[in-house]
Amino acid sequence: VQLQASGGGLVQAGGSLRLSCLASGRTSSNYHMGWFRQAPEKEREFVAAISRSAGMTPYAGSVKGRFTISRDNAKSTAYLQMNSLKPEDTAVYYCAAGVKFGTSPILYDYWGQGTLVTVSS
């Protein structure tokens, strides 16, 4: 499956962005989806995940209450709605797909190219 992330950009602190991850090549509804991010000189970290049926949606503590993950299997797309953005949210955001569910990046088999989110103070 190929993943294409989009929706990143420059936003002021307190603003909002919605990231999209379009899946193609195989039936995306067969995969759990996740969002991860990587800031300069830092390791990639978990942001949020959503199970195949959207019944489970864990979040990193740093984004809980501000970010919302969702998916539309009919459109083969996963979303990450990001509200109340902070400068520390600045990173390249990656979407991922896998047959195993969890918060570790090693569980995911397919990765998108990343989209840059920059939050100015």
Side-chain angles (χ1 to χ4, degrees):
V1 62
Q2 292 79 45
L3 303 175
Q4 183 172 359
S6 61
L10 174 64
V11 64
Q12 288 188 334
S16 298
L17 282 175
R18 189 177 80 156
L19 305 183
S20 299
C21 178
L22 175 63
S24 61
R26 294 187 181 181
T27 305
S28 64
S29 59
N30 290 338
Y31 296 91
H32 306 298
M33 303 292 292
W35 285 97
F36 294 79
R37 66 186 182 187
Q38 188 166 16
E41 301 183 355
K42 291 189 176 181
E43 293 187 354
R44 190 168 299 189
E45 65 175 1
F46 168 76
V47 176
I50 187 166
S51 58
R52 282 186 289 257
S53 62
M56 293 185 289
T57 54
Y59 294 90
S62 59
V63 307
K64 198 168 187 177
R66 300 187 297 122
F67 291 10
T68 302
I69 190 170
S70 61
R71 67 189 297 165
D72 185 338
N73 288 336
K75 295 183 178 179
S76 299
T77 303
Y79 304 96
L80 186 68
Q81 177 66 44
M82 305 186 295
N83 298 329
S84 302
L85 282 161
K86 304 175 181 180
E88 51 263 44
D89 294 319
T90 296
V92 176
Y93 283 71
Y94 298 90
C95 62
V99 295
K100 296 181 181 179
F101 186 69
T103 62
S104 172
I106 66 173
L107 296 173
Y108 292 84
D109 307 300
Y110 304 98
W111 292 82
Q113 83 288 1
T115 185
L116 176 63
V117 172
T118 304
V119 184
S120 63
S121 56

